[in-house]
Amino acid sequence: MLHRKQFLTLLGSLFIGATLVSCGGNDTGAPGTAAEATSAAFPSRPVRIIVPFGAGGLADVTMRLAGEPLSIALGQPVVIENRPGAGGVAATTTMLGADPDGYTLIVLTNGSTIAETQFDDLPYDITKDLRPVSALAWFDLVLMTSPDSGVSTLQELLARATEREGGLRIATINPGSTQHLSAELFKSRADIPGTVISYRTTPDVLGALLRGEVDLAIDAYTALKGAIESGQAVPLAVTGDVRSAALPNVPTVAEAGIPDYVVTGWNAIYTHAATPDAVVERLNREFATVTALPDIQTRFAELGVEARGSTPDEIQQRLLSDIVKWREVMVAANLAGQ
């Protein structure tokens, strides 16, 4: 292990396209077996982490930021491989097709729990076929309106839901996303009429808000940080159970008057269910070390994200509870089994 000064020197040169953390790379080591993956030998070759999203997204950026100090801690390169699409099915199938030796990991998100209900023919069961390693990142969503809306609080906006035929128009990204279901949950908890309008990308959501096509947009702070800082979007509330460090003056949805509404997104590391205990324990220990690094804490916070590890059981319990939570929302919104 390197001394803290050496860590900080290396972290000072960290950037998204770092040599050791390369996009789309393949595991170049020889195939291994579970028998060789002991606490003493692991890792003896590069570790691959599959991200079920394209480059530049929150899961991708945070994993790449953590990737270089993780490679230092493990003593081997960490290769990030992007496999977006199909609700993470392709990425998860790829991970499960690799040897269960800890050399192939995957980033799961709260969106992974939505896919469990959204698709009724998944070729795997994430509650049984995958094994938790550690949480990595935690983040809230932000409820935003246009500066031309004439409102400055969530309650003022909600009043419009009863004044206009059809209620509020709420913009989110694609159907079945955490943002989309958070909007459905918001309508239910606030007990207001409204329509959730789905757009393909976050820039499309922002464009609809600026054109006055919608009254409210719900997305991650990271995705619309620039728009908020420039005044193009006005934050009314955050979805977590406490205020965001990135927006300390913005109340939570509960503080703004809607009780029993909390949505906290997360990214976590999982691997094959048959991975040996010693390997999972080593990986968990190193993720705990990396997420506690001051530089990682700072860089994540700049994105509106909290870097925080967990025990395998803690993140597994969160995954299981979110499956139940979002299943109820999807059934109510007639989105289950699409």
mmCIF file of all heavy atoms in Angstrom, residues 52-53 85-88 111 114-115 118-119 170-184 196-205 218-219 330 335:
data_model
loop_
_atom_site.group_PDB
_atom_site.id
_atom_site.type_symbol
_atom_site.label_atom_id
_atom_site.label_comp_id
_atom_site.label_asym_id
_atom_site.label_seq_id
_atom_site.Cartn_x
_atom_site.Cartn_y
_atom_site.Cartn_z
ATOM 1 N N PRO A 52 -23.270 -0.690 -16.945
ATOM 2 C CA PRO A 52 -24.385 -0.893 -17.883
ATOM 3 C C PRO A 52 -24.952 0.398 -18.470
ATOM 4 O O PRO A 52 -26.138 0.488 -18.754
ATOM 5 C CB PRO A 52 -25.423 -1.622 -17.024
ATOM 6 C CG PRO A 52 -25.180 -1.121 -15.650
ATOM 7 C CD PRO A 52 -23.683 -0.906 -15.547
ATOM 8 N N PHE A 53 -24.078 1.405 -18.626
ATOM 9 C CA PHE A 53 -24.469 2.696 -19.189
ATOM 10 C C PHE A 53 -23.356 3.195 -20.089
ATOM 11 O O PHE A 53 -22.216 2.720 -20.012
ATOM 12 C CB PHE A 53 -24.722 3.731 -18.082
ATOM 13 C CG PHE A 53 -25.765 3.316 -17.085
ATOM 14 C CD1 PHE A 53 -25.399 2.761 -15.871
ATOM 15 C CD2 PHE A 53 -27.114 3.468 -17.364
ATOM 16 C CE1 PHE A 53 -26.349 2.369 -14.942
ATOM 17 C CE2 PHE A 53 -28.082 3.075 -16.442
ATOM 18 C CZ PHE A 53 -27.702 2.524 -15.242
ATOM 19 N N GLY A 85 -27.640 -0.245 -22.427
ATOM 20 C CA GLY A 85 -28.828 -0.720 -23.131
ATOM 21 C C GLY A 85 -29.586 -1.828 -22.440
ATOM 22 O O GLY A 85 -29.066 -2.540 -21.575
ATOM 23 N N ALA A 86 -30.873 -1.939 -22.832
ATOM 24 C CA ALA A 86 -31.763 -3.030 -22.420
ATOM 25 C C ALA A 86 -31.881 -3.175 -20.917
ATOM 26 O O ALA A 86 -31.930 -4.290 -20.387
ATOM 27 C CB ALA A 86 -31.314 -4.346 -23.050
ATOM 28 N N GLY A 87 -31.926 -2.052 -20.207
ATOM 29 C CA GLY A 87 -32.112 -2.119 -18.772
ATOM 30 C C GLY A 87 -31.014 -2.844 -18.027
ATOM 31 O O GLY A 87 -31.225 -3.353 -16.926
ATOM 32 N N GLY A 88 -29.822 -2.892 -18.613
ATOM 33 C CA GLY A 88 -28.691 -3.546 -17.966
ATOM 34 C C GLY A 88 -28.639 -5.043 -18.188
ATOM 35 O O GLY A 88 -27.764 -5.732 -17.648
ATOM 36 N N GLY A 111 -31.803 1.572 -10.528
ATOM 37 C CA GLY A 111 -32.490 1.240 -11.777
ATOM 38 C C GLY A 111 -32.519 -0.254 -12.046
ATOM 39 O O GLY A 111 -33.423 -0.753 -12.725
ATOM 40 N N ILE A 114 -35.611 -1.707 -10.715
ATOM 41 C CA ILE A 114 -36.786 -1.416 -11.542
ATOM 42 C C ILE A 114 -36.926 -2.452 -12.647
ATOM 43 O O ILE A 114 -38.029 -2.894 -12.965
ATOM 44 C CB ILE A 114 -36.675 0.003 -12.122
ATOM 45 C CG1 ILE A 114 -36.771 1.038 -10.990
ATOM 46 C CG2 ILE A 114 -37.739 0.266 -13.173
ATOM 47 C CD1 ILE A 114 -36.436 2.449 -11.421
ATOM 48 N N ALA A 115 -35.805 -2.852 -13.237
ATOM 49 C CA ALA A 115 -35.834 -3.830 -14.326
ATOM 50 C C ALA A 115 -36.427 -5.158 -13.888
ATOM 51 O O ALA A 115 -37.016 -5.884 -14.693
ATOM 52 C CB ALA A 115 -34.417 -4.042 -14.868
ATOM 53 N N GLN A 118 -39.998 -4.407 -14.475
ATOM 54 C CA GLN A 118 -40.292 -3.909 -15.821
ATOM 55 C C GLN A 118 -40.266 -5.031 -16.856
ATOM 56 O O GLN A 118 -41.057 -5.038 -17.804
ATOM 57 C CB GLN A 118 -39.282 -2.824 -16.195
ATOM 58 C CG GLN A 118 -39.576 -2.131 -17.518
ATOM 59 C CD GLN A 118 -38.584 -1.003 -17.778
ATOM 60 O OE1 GLN A 118 -37.507 -0.947 -17.182
ATOM 61 N NE2 GLN A 118 -38.948 -0.097 -18.672
ATOM 62 N N PHE A 119 -39.344 -5.977 -16.698
ATOM 63 C CA PHE A 119 -39.212 -7.086 -17.649
ATOM 64 C C PHE A 119 -39.599 -8.389 -16.964
ATOM 65 O O PHE A 119 -39.063 -8.726 -15.902
ATOM 66 C CB PHE A 119 -37.777 -7.174 -18.171
ATOM 67 C CG PHE A 119 -37.287 -5.906 -18.818
ATOM 68 C CD1 PHE A 119 -36.357 -5.100 -18.176
ATOM 69 C CD2 PHE A 119 -37.771 -5.505 -20.055
ATOM 70 C CE1 PHE A 119 -35.904 -3.920 -18.758
ATOM 71 C CE2 PHE A 119 -37.327 -4.331 -20.644
ATOM 72 C CZ PHE A 119 -36.397 -3.541 -20.003
ATOM 73 N N ILE A 170 -44.985 17.034 -15.966
ATOM 74 C CA ILE A 170 -43.705 16.706 -15.349
ATOM 75 C C ILE A 170 -42.803 16.004 -16.364
ATOM 76 O O ILE A 170 -43.187 14.999 -16.960
ATOM 77 C CB ILE A 170 -43.902 15.796 -14.120
ATOM 78 C CG1 ILE A 170 -44.919 16.416 -13.153
ATOM 79 C CG2 ILE A 170 -42.572 15.556 -13.421
ATOM 80 C CD1 ILE A 170 -45.302 15.507 -12.003
ATOM 81 N N ALA A 171 -41.595 16.530 -16.554
ATOM 82 C CA ALA A 171 -40.647 15.963 -17.520
ATOM 83 C C ALA A 171 -39.605 15.091 -16.833
ATOM 84 O O ALA A 171 -39.053 15.469 -15.797
ATOM 85 C CB ALA A 171 -39.952 17.083 -18.285
ATOM 86 N N THR A 172 -39.360 13.918 -17.408
ATOM 87 C CA THR A 172 -38.273 13.049 -16.956
ATOM 88 C C THR A 172 -37.663 12.379 -18.183
ATOM 89 O O THR A 172 -38.186 12.495 -19.287
ATOM 90 C CB THR A 172 -38.763 11.944 -16.000
ATOM 91 O OG1 THR A 172 -39.500 10.956 -16.753
ATOM 92 C CG2 THR A 172 -39.629 12.502 -14.891
ATOM 93 N N ILE A 173 -36.566 11.667 -17.969
ATOM 94 C CA ILE A 173 -36.036 10.854 -19.057
ATOM 95 C C ILE A 173 -36.871 9.587 -19.181
ATOM 96 O O ILE A 173 -37.880 9.441 -18.522
ATOM 97 C CB ILE A 173 -34.537 10.530 -18.856
ATOM 98 C CG1 ILE A 173 -34.299 9.807 -17.524
ATOM 99 C CG2 ILE A 173 -33.706 11.795 -18.939
ATOM 100 C CD1 ILE A 173 -32.877 9.298 -17.365
ATOM 101 N N ASN A 174 -36.420 8.659 -19.991
ATOM 102 C CA ASN A 174 -37.194 7.553 -20.531
ATOM 103 C C ASN A 174 -38.064 6.770 -19.550
ATOM 104 O O ASN A 174 -37.758 6.680 -18.362
ATOM 105 C CB ASN A 174 -36.248 6.570 -21.229
ATOM 106 C CG ASN A 174 -35.108 6.158 -20.333
ATOM 107 O OD1 ASN A 174 -34.288 6.966 -19.964
ATOM 108 N ND2 ASN A 174 -35.043 4.895 -19.991
ATOM 109 N N PRO A 175 -39.171 6.206 -20.049
ATOM 110 C CA PRO A 175 -40.088 5.427 -19.198
ATOM 111 C C PRO A 175 -39.370 4.287 -18.484
ATOM 112 O O PRO A 175 -38.522 3.613 -19.069
ATOM 113 C CB PRO A 175 -41.114 4.878 -20.206
ATOM 114 C CG PRO A 175 -41.063 5.822 -21.353
ATOM 115 C CD PRO A 175 -39.629 6.260 -21.453
ATOM 116 N N GLY A 176 -39.728 4.085 -17.231
ATOM 117 C CA GLY A 176 -39.118 3.013 -16.458
ATOM 118 C C GLY A 176 -37.832 3.407 -15.763
ATOM 119 O O GLY A 176 -37.274 2.620 -14.991
ATOM 120 N N SER A 177 -37.358 4.633 -16.009
ATOM 121 C CA SER A 177 -36.152 5.105 -15.329
ATOM 122 C C SER A 177 -36.495 5.489 -13.888
ATOM 123 O O SER A 177 -37.667 5.657 -13.529
ATOM 124 C CB SER A 177 -35.573 6.323 -16.055
ATOM 125 O OG SER A 177 -36.496 7.407 -16.003
ATOM 126 N N THR A 178 -35.474 5.635 -13.062
ATOM 127 C CA THR A 178 -35.702 6.076 -11.685
ATOM 128 C C THR A 178 -36.381 7.432 -11.670
ATOM 129 O O THR A 178 -37.283 7.691 -10.854
ATOM 130 C CB THR A 178 -34.367 6.150 -10.924
ATOM 131 O OG1 THR A 178 -33.747 4.864 -10.928
ATOM 132 C CG2 THR A 178 -34.582 6.600 -9.489
ATOM 133 N N GLN A 179 -35.958 8.315 -12.591
ATOM 134 C CA GLN A 179 -36.563 9.646 -12.661
ATOM 135 C C GLN A 179 -38.053 9.552 -12.978
ATOM 136 O O GLN A 179 -38.881 10.244 -12.364
ATOM 137 C CB GLN A 179 -35.850 10.483 -13.733
ATOM 138 C CG GLN A 179 -34.434 10.884 -13.361
ATOM 139 C CD GLN A 179 -33.390 9.881 -13.794
ATOM 140 O OE1 GLN A 179 -33.654 8.680 -13.859
ATOM 141 N NE2 GLN A 179 -32.196 10.363 -14.095
ATOM 142 N N HIS A 180 -38.392 8.715 -13.940
ATOM 143 C CA HIS A 180 -39.791 8.555 -14.343
ATOM 144 C C HIS A 180 -40.640 8.030 -13.178
ATOM 145 O O HIS A 180 -41.710 8.565 -12.871
ATOM 146 C CB HIS A 180 -39.871 7.606 -15.538
ATOM 147 C CG HIS A 180 -41.265 7.344 -16.002
ATOM 148 N ND1 HIS A 180 -41.642 6.161 -16.602
ATOM 149 C CD2 HIS A 180 -42.389 8.090 -15.939
ATOM 150 C CE1 HIS A 180 -42.931 6.211 -16.897
ATOM 151 N NE2 HIS A 180 -43.404 7.360 -16.508
ATOM 152 N N LEU A 181 -40.151 6.999 -12.512
ATOM 153 C CA LEU A 181 -40.919 6.432 -11.400
ATOM 154 C C LEU A 181 -40.947 7.364 -10.194
ATOM 155 O O LEU A 181 -41.929 7.376 -9.437
ATOM 156 C CB LEU A 181 -40.341 5.076 -11.012
ATOM 157 C CG LEU A 181 -40.445 3.992 -12.089
ATOM 158 C CD1 LEU A 181 -39.990 2.657 -11.543
ATOM 159 C CD2 LEU A 181 -41.846 3.882 -12.637
ATOM 160 N N SER A 182 -39.898 8.160 -10.032
ATOM 161 C CA SER A 182 -39.908 9.155 -8.960
ATOM 162 C C SER A 182 -41.007 10.179 -9.202
ATOM 163 O O SER A 182 -41.638 10.662 -8.248
ATOM 164 C CB SER A 182 -38.551 9.869 -8.884
ATOM 165 O OG SER A 182 -37.534 8.958 -8.530
ATOM 166 N N ALA A 183 -41.256 10.507 -10.477
ATOM 167 C CA ALA A 183 -42.336 11.437 -10.817
ATOM 168 C C ALA A 183 -43.699 10.813 -10.537
ATOM 169 O O ALA A 183 -44.611 11.470 -10.019
ATOM 170 C CB ALA A 183 -42.230 11.847 -12.281
ATOM 171 N N GLU A 184 -43.841 9.536 -10.853
ATOM 172 C CA GLU A 184 -45.105 8.842 -10.572
ATOM 173 C C GLU A 184 -45.351 8.776 -9.066
ATOM 174 O O GLU A 184 -46.487 8.972 -8.593
ATOM 175 C CB GLU A 184 -45.083 7.433 -11.180
ATOM 176 C CG GLU A 184 -45.037 7.379 -12.705
ATOM 177 C CD GLU A 184 -46.358 7.776 -13.346
ATOM 178 O OE1 GLU A 184 -47.354 8.002 -12.612
ATOM 179 O OE2 GLU A 184 -46.406 7.881 -14.590
ATOM 180 N N VAL A 196 -46.873 12.640 -16.588
ATOM 181 C CA VAL A 196 -45.428 12.500 -16.693
ATOM 182 C C VAL A 196 -45.089 12.338 -18.168
ATOM 183 O O VAL A 196 -45.560 11.407 -18.830
ATOM 184 C CB VAL A 196 -44.919 11.296 -15.886
ATOM 185 C CG1 VAL A 196 -43.397 11.175 -16.031
ATOM 186 C CG2 VAL A 196 -45.304 11.424 -14.421
ATOM 187 N N ILE A 197 -44.283 13.246 -18.682
ATOM 188 C CA ILE A 197 -43.893 13.232 -20.091
ATOM 189 C C ILE A 197 -42.440 12.796 -20.188
ATOM 190 O O ILE A 197 -41.556 13.428 -19.599
ATOM 191 C CB ILE A 197 -44.077 14.625 -20.725
ATOM 192 C CG1 ILE A 197 -45.520 15.113 -20.518
ATOM 193 C CG2 ILE A 197 -43.728 14.591 -22.207
ATOM 194 C CD1 ILE A 197 -45.731 16.554 -20.918
ATOM 195 N N SER A 198 -42.185 11.717 -20.911
ATOM 196 C CA SER A 198 -40.834 11.167 -21.002
ATOM 197 C C SER A 198 -40.094 11.700 -22.218
ATOM 198 O O SER A 198 -40.652 11.774 -23.315
ATOM 199 C CB SER A 198 -40.893 9.638 -21.076
ATOM 200 O OG SER A 198 -41.472 9.109 -19.905
ATOM 201 N N TYR A 199 -38.835 12.030 -22.011
ATOM 202 C CA TYR A 199 -37.963 12.506 -23.079
ATOM 203 C C TYR A 199 -36.767 11.572 -23.181
ATOM 204 O O TYR A 199 -36.421 10.868 -22.227
ATOM 205 C CB TYR A 199 -37.506 13.937 -22.797
ATOM 206 C CG TYR A 199 -38.639 14.944 -22.854
ATOM 207 C CD1 TYR A 199 -39.449 15.170 -21.734
ATOM 208 C CD2 TYR A 199 -38.918 15.643 -24.024
ATOM 209 C CE1 TYR A 199 -40.495 16.083 -21.779
ATOM 210 C CE2 TYR A 199 -39.963 16.561 -24.082
ATOM 211 C CZ TYR A 199 -40.747 16.773 -22.957
ATOM 212 O OH TYR A 199 -41.797 17.668 -23.016
ATOM 213 N N ARG A 200 -36.115 11.604 -24.317
ATOM 214 C CA ARG A 200 -35.038 10.645 -24.569
ATOM 215 C C ARG A 200 -33.800 10.931 -23.733
ATOM 216 O O ARG A 200 -33.147 10.020 -23.233
ATOM 217 C CB ARG A 200 -34.674 10.647 -26.054
ATOM 218 C CG ARG A 200 -33.747 9.506 -26.467
ATOM 219 C CD ARG A 200 -33.573 9.471 -27.978
ATOM 220 N NE ARG A 200 -32.909 10.667 -28.464
ATOM 221 C CZ ARG A 200 -31.584 10.809 -28.528
ATOM 222 N NH1 ARG A 200 -30.791 9.826 -28.117
ATOM 223 N NH2 ARG A 200 -31.038 11.917 -28.984
ATOM 224 N N THR A 201 -33.438 12.208 -23.602
ATOM 225 C CA THR A 201 -32.213 12.565 -22.900
ATOM 226 C C THR A 201 -32.463 13.699 -21.912
ATOM 227 O O THR A 201 -33.469 14.405 -21.986
ATOM 228 C CB THR A 201 -31.121 13.016 -23.881
ATOM 229 O OG1 THR A 201 -31.520 14.262 -24.488
ATOM 230 C CG2 THR A 201 -30.887 11.975 -24.974
ATOM 231 N N THR A 202 -31.497 13.914 -21.017
ATOM 232 C CA THR A 202 -31.585 15.024 -20.078
ATOM 233 C C THR A 202 -31.601 16.381 -20.787
ATOM 234 O O THR A 202 -32.380 17.260 -20.403
ATOM 235 C CB THR A 202 -30.423 14.961 -19.068
ATOM 236 O OG1 THR A 202 -30.589 13.791 -18.252
ATOM 237 C CG2 THR A 202 -30.394 16.177 -18.171
ATOM 238 N N PRO A 203 -30.769 16.618 -21.818
ATOM 239 C CA PRO A 203 -30.887 17.888 -22.552
ATOM 240 C C PRO A 203 -32.282 18.105 -23.128
ATOM 241 O O PRO A 203 -32.757 19.250 -23.183
ATOM 242 C CB PRO A 203 -29.835 17.753 -23.660
ATOM 243 C CG PRO A 203 -28.796 16.872 -23.063
ATOM 244 C CD PRO A 203 -29.579 15.857 -22.267
ATOM 245 N N ASP A 204 -32.954 17.037 -23.538
ATOM 246 C CA ASP A 204 -34.332 17.170 -24.030
ATOM 247 C C ASP A 204 -35.267 17.613 -22.910
ATOM 248 O O ASP A 204 -36.186 18.414 -23.120
ATOM 249 C CB ASP A 204 -34.817 15.842 -24.617
ATOM 250 C CG ASP A 204 -34.080 15.454 -25.893
ATOM 251 O OD1 ASP A 204 -33.560 16.358 -26.568
ATOM 252 O OD2 ASP A 204 -34.008 14.247 -26.189
ATOM 253 N N VAL A 205 -35.041 17.069 -21.716
ATOM 254 C CA VAL A 205 -35.846 17.462 -20.553
ATOM 255 C C VAL A 205 -35.647 18.944 -20.262
ATOM 256 O O VAL A 205 -36.613 19.697 -20.045
ATOM 257 C CB VAL A 205 -35.459 16.623 -19.318
ATOM 258 C CG1 VAL A 205 -36.093 17.201 -18.049
ATOM 259 C CG2 VAL A 205 -35.889 15.174 -19.502
ATOM 260 N N ILE A 218 -37.657 16.473 -13.229
ATOM 261 C CA ILE A 218 -37.019 15.698 -12.163
ATOM 262 C C ILE A 218 -35.830 14.949 -12.766
ATOM 263 O O ILE A 218 -35.986 14.144 -13.687
ATOM 264 C CB ILE A 218 -38.001 14.693 -11.526
ATOM 265 C CG1 ILE A 218 -39.204 15.435 -10.945
ATOM 266 C CG2 ILE A 218 -37.306 13.879 -10.447
ATOM 267 C CD1 ILE A 218 -40.242 14.520 -10.319
ATOM 268 N N ASP A 219 -34.641 15.239 -12.255
ATOM 269 C CA ASP A 219 -33.440 14.575 -12.759
ATOM 270 C C ASP A 219 -32.345 14.673 -11.707
ATOM 271 O O ASP A 219 -32.520 15.335 -10.667
ATOM 272 C CB ASP A 219 -32.974 15.205 -14.077
ATOM 273 C CG ASP A 219 -32.305 14.192 -14.998
ATOM 274 O OD1 ASP A 219 -31.600 13.286 -14.489
ATOM 275 O OD2 ASP A 219 -32.480 14.291 -16.222
ATOM 276 N N MET A 330 -44.735 0.860 -9.985
ATOM 277 C CA MET A 330 -44.935 0.458 -11.380
ATOM 278 C C MET A 330 -46.301 -0.198 -11.586
ATOM 279 O O MET A 330 -46.957 0.025 -12.608
ATOM 280 C CB MET A 330 -43.812 -0.479 -11.821
ATOM 281 C CG MET A 330 -42.459 0.197 -11.860
ATOM 282 S SD MET A 330 -41.147 -0.866 -12.485
ATOM 283 C CE MET A 330 -41.524 -0.878 -14.232
ATOM 284 N N LEU A 335 -47.051 0.003 -15.346
ATOM 285 C CA LEU A 335 -45.796 -0.102 -16.058
ATOM 286 C C LEU A 335 -45.095 -1.439 -15.843
ATOM 287 O O LEU A 335 -44.005 -1.664 -16.348
ATOM 288 C CB LEU A 335 -44.841 1.016 -15.610
ATOM 289 C CG LEU A 335 -45.267 2.441 -15.966
ATOM 290 C CD1 LEU A 335 -44.356 3.437 -15.264
ATOM 291 C CD2 LEU A 335 -45.220 2.654 -17.469
#
